[in-house]
Amino acid sequence: MSAQRAVRAGKDWYSVSVETLKGWGLLLLVLVVMGGGVFGYRLWDRNSTKAQAEKVIAEAGDLLGRLQDEKKASGFARETESARESLEKARSLFKNERFRDALDKGKRSRDLLQSILDSLELRGAGGQAQFFSVQGEVEFRRGDGGDWQEARSRVQLQPGDFVRTSDGGSAEIMFNDGTLYTVRPNTQFIVSASSAGPSGSQEQSIQMEYGWVSLSTSANSSNIKTPGATARVKESSEAFVAVDKTTSQGRFGAVRGGMDLEAKGGMRREIGALEQVTQTGDLLSEPKPLPAPPQLLEPEDNLALDLDRTKRVVLAWSQVSGAPRYALQVSRNHLFVDNVIDAENRTKTRATLGVRGEGTFQWRVAAYGPDGLLGPWSRPGRFRVGSSRAGGGEGKDATPPELDLEEIKTYGSIFFVAGRSEPGARIEVNGEQVKTGADGAFTKPVQLSTEGWNIIEVRARDVWGNETVRRQRVFVENP
């Protein structure tokens, strides 16, 4: 072999093409990016869990401090001690950087402490109303002092308490006499002490600062005081009151029954069904007619749609005489907050919607009068969208949802109900809807006041209306 060929042989042994180097470099870059992505996600998840655990532990600590100041809390000594132990365990786990476990223990402590405080409020003798349902950000405050607190169903309200809703918040509040208030977003009012009405019966009252409330009275009338007027909604009536936050201009309308209205300057108006009066300063307008609510025609109520077969659904309603346009709302909740569709200028009496996701939807329509006044909303309709493939067959899914319950943990008269169902299923515990996670998991503290044996009923309902019900018998001892 010549020297030249020997040199070539040596070069061939060590030579690498440029294309090969580029390929290796690209592969190395992909591996580095993937590794960095995994590391980044784990770091983000760890920091996020740490922040959540820290927040929940702080909330539990604040609740424990509040409970220690409650003189009536002695009857919940066992529950309080259990919550305290969970809180100390959460703090210890957090210190050892076991953030996920610390978050779970912190939530259990916080929920138990909050349930005790709620129970003490329910035992109070001065409750005038209570939150019936809550959607979005809704808060209340005790009297003129103290901090704003998150509203929850069954929390009682006393005379002098403030209630406010955010841009995406709404609530239903039931008063002791059966009057039901629906509080729309961006509203604030004060619960007033009840007073004797003309017939001698007690009238419930609120002092409204701004926003919009609708109410349905029962056997008694109800008073709403605004910055410019006072409305007395008659018994067995449906009505609404709206107050502009900037100008304090008021709108007062009756859907059914009627109301008596008096401005600050003494001017009076009587408002009948489907009439509205506008208040500006000390002046009240003449009653103006409101358009009637449309009737929903299609689809039939509770219609089940197959996402794999149906791409569109037609919503149709009756024409209202003289109405030039309509408002249409489609939502995933009965309070119509964070609506899927919120249209104000529908000139036709039908709309075609694209079907793109599973779930239960509610819809309603209101008519505008020739003078631009918006009439009352129709009764909501409902339709459900599901996938037949998820049920393993074609057509309607007839398989009830899975519902697995953990062992119910008992703390005196407070019971923790936890479990899991299929994602998207509606969960109710003793008739009250429960928030669920994306994976279908849920936890619900339940307060039972009847001594002796009680039934806790958990109900899971899928979008097709199939139900699975689990009932467990529990014993309540009087503390």
Side-chain angles (χ1 to χ4, degrees):
M1 180 183 296
S2 65
Q4 185 177 4
R5 296 178 68 180
V7 171
R8 286 181 180 172
K11 288 183 178 178
D12 290 344
W13 180 261
Y14 293 104
S15 65
V16 179
S17 69
V18 175
E19 290 75 11
T20 303
L21 287 173
K22 288 181 178 180
W24 287 356
L26 181 60
L27 178 60
L28 180 61
L29 178 61
V30 171
L31 292 175
V32 170
V33 171
M34 290 178 60
V38 172
F39 175 78
Y41 172 77
R42 289 179 177 176
L43 181 62
W44 172 84
D45 183 62
R46 175 181 173 83
N47 290 338
S48 176
T49 304
K50 177 182 178 181
Q52 292 180 55
E54 190 172 21
K55 179 183 178 181
V56 168
I57 290 172
E59 290 174 349
D62 292 341
L63 292 174
L64 183 60
R66 284 175 51 195
L67 192 60
Q68 289 173 340
D69 296 333
E70 289 283 350
K71 296 180 180 180
K72 301 177 182 179
S74 58
F76 293 91
R78 185 172 60 179
E79 294 92 329
T80 303
E81 183 59 30
S82 177
R84 190 197 310 274
E85 291 176 359
S86 294
L87 178 57
E88 291 302 321
K89 184 63 175 178
R91 288 170 173 166
S92 176
L93 291 167
F94 187 89
K95 185 177 181 180
N96 293 326
E97 299 187 354
R98 294 174 56 185
F99 302 128
R100 182 69 62 183
D101 294 335
L103 178 60
D104 292 340
K105 286 292 184 181
K107 283 183 177 179
R108 186 169 294 276
S109 175
R110 181 194 62 182
D111 292 346
L112 180 54
L113 290 167
Q114 189 63 69
S115 295
I116 297 172
L117 289 168
D118 289 349
S119 177
L120 292 174
E121 289 186 19
L122 289 171
R123 288 184 174 186
Q128 189 158 324
Q130 64 176 302
F131 287 100
F132 185 70
S133 64
V134 176
Q135 186 73 35
E137 185 177 345
V138 182
E139 298 177 305
F140 71 97
R141 188 180 72 188
R142 298 299 186 195
D144 292 326
D147 298 326
W148 288 95
Q149 304 175 49
E150 178 185 357
R152 297 170 309 282
S153 60
R154 297 184 65 203
V155 169
Q156 286 200 352
L157 294 168
Q158 318 279 350
D161 288 351
F162 286 71
V163 175
R164 72 179 180 189
T165 59
S166 69
D167 183 54
S170 184
E172 290 177 315
I173 297 175
M174 179 72 76
F175 279 77
N176 290 344
D177 69 344
T179 298
L180 178 65
Y181 277 80
T182 300
V183 189
R184 292 193 183 180
N186 296 316
T187 299
Q188 181 167 307
F189 66 85
I190 307 169
V191 178
S192 304
S194 58
S195 58
S199 61
S201 60
Q202 292 294 306
E203 291 182 335
Q204 305 290 352
S205 304
I206 68 169
Q207 183 175 332
M208 192 169 171
E209 298 184 352
Y210 59 85
W212 184 302
V213 298
S214 302
L215 67 154
S216 175
T217 60
S218 55
N220 297 328
S221 55
S222 185
N223 288 330
I224 302 178
K225 184 178 181 181
T226 71
T230 300
R232 177 178 171 271
V233 181
K234 298 177 181 180
E235 63 274 6
S236 302
S237 297
E238 292 182 29
F240 65 85
V241 174
V243 179
D244 186 270
K245 186 176 183 180
T246 304
T247 65
S248 294
Q249 184 184 57
R251 290 176 56 196
F252 304 81
V255 179
R256 174 174 56 86
M259 71 167 74
D260 296 320
L261 182 63
E262 181 177 359
K264 268 190 172 182
M267 182 178 285
R268 296 171 181 266
R269 290 281 187 258
E270 183 173 353
I271 305 175
L274 292 179
E275 290 184 342
Q276 174 184 291
V277 168
T278 301
Q279 165 263 319
T280 305
D282 291 341
L283 301 179
L284 300 176
S285 70
E286 291 288 341
K288 295 184 178 180
L290 291 171
Q295 300 295 317
L296 303 186
L297 302 179
E298 61 173 300
E300 64 181 17
D301 202 27
N302 287 320
L303 177 67
L305 301 173
D306 187 349
L307 180 62
D308 304 308
R309 295 187 173 194
T310 306
K311 301 305 178 185
R312 295 179 181 84
V313 59
V314 175
L315 307 181
W317 55 92
S318 64
Q319 185 174 4
V320 176
S321 177
R325 59 192 175 102
Y326 301 87
L328 167 65
Q329 292 183 339
V330 180
S331 181
R332 290 181 179 270
N333 60 80
H334 74 286
L335 292 179
F336 289 88
V337 178
D338 282 336
N339 296 326
V340 178
I341 293 176
D342 205 331
E344 297 181 349
N345 291 291
R346 300 293 307 181
T347 57
K348 298 180 179 179
T349 57
R350 59 195 295 116
T352 302
L353 309 183
V355 178
R356 296 186 177 88
E358 295 184 82
T360 298
F361 300 88
Q362 298 198 43
W363 67 289
R364 63 182 184 179
V365 183
Y368 283 93
D371 51 5
L373 295 180
L374 179 66
W377 291 99
S378 66
R379 297 291 181 186
R382 190 172 73 162
F383 61 91
R384 291 167 286 140
V385 180
S387 173
S388 59
R389 295 178 183 175
E394 296 185 0
K396 178 178 177 180
D397 177 12
T399 305
E402 295 182 0
L403 178 57
D404 297 324
L405 296 181
E406 300 177 6
E407 180 181 355
I408 295 181
K409 297 186 177 354
T410 307
Y411 300 94
S413 59
I414 299 175
F415 299 82
F416 268 94
V417 182
R420 187 184 305 273
S421 185
E422 64 183 38
R426 176 188 174 98
I427 305 298
E428 295 180 356
V429 177
N430 283 2
E432 184 176 347
Q433 186 174 358
V434 180
K435 291 182 179 180
T436 60
D439 59 350
F442 61 90
T443 301
K444 173 68 176 176
V446 178
Q447 168 72 31
L448 298 175
S449 57
T450 304
E451 186 178 5
W453 288 103
N454 287 257
I455 296 294
I456 293 180
E457 180 184 87
V458 183
R459 186 181 299 270
R461 183 185 301 114
D462 64 16
V463 296
W464 298 108
N466 304 310
E467 287 188 344
T468 300
V469 180
R470 302 274 188 266
R471 296 182 179 90
Q472 295 202 21
R473 198 163 175 244
V474 296
F475 190 81
V476 177
E477 297 181 1
N478 200 9

